[in-house]
Amino acid sequence: MAKSKAATDLEELGGNIRRIRTSLNMTQERLAELVNINARTVRRIEAGEINLLITTVARIRNALDCGWNELVPRGWK
């Protein structure tokens, strides 16, 4: 069965978060601390396993100090 567009978008978002976080040499634990969420939640976000509130995405963006265009999936732009 093919993945839904939403599932693909969540995987792309998670991959973007992981790519930016690792380029900053930031651990998942540190990102979780900055965003005020559980480190397990960061792992699940990066794996594309959970849907996010836009407020959580905004807090992640602020913690990673990146632009929206770097973070959000191409289909959202």
Side-chain angles (χ1 to χ4, degrees):
M1 179 189 278
K3 287 184 193 176
S4 70
K5 178 165 176 10
T8 302
D9 285 348
L10 288 174
E11 286 180 359
E12 185 177 345
L13 175 63
N16 290 345
I17 291 168
R18 181 182 319 104
R19 177 182 48 76
I20 297 166
R21 177 185 58 74
T22 58
S23 75
L24 297 171
N25 295 314
M26 184 185 295
T27 64
Q28 289 178 330
E29 290 75 16
R30 179 64 179 146
L31 179 58
E33 182 180 295
L34 292 171
V35 179
N36 196 31
I37 58 177
N38 188 290
R40 182 174 170 4
T41 301
V42 171
R43 285 189 286 282
R44 293 184 66 211
I45 290 169
E46 289 185 354
E49 295 176 356
I50 59 174
N51 206 344
L52 302 168
L53 294 172
I54 191 66
T55 55
T56 303
V57 176
R59 291 194 332 256
I60 290 170
R61 187 190 67 79
N62 288 334
L64 296 176
D65 192 29
C66 65
W68 285 105
N69 286 337
E70 294 175 81
L71 194 62
V72 299
R74 287 169 292 206
W76 293 9
K77 297 174 187 171

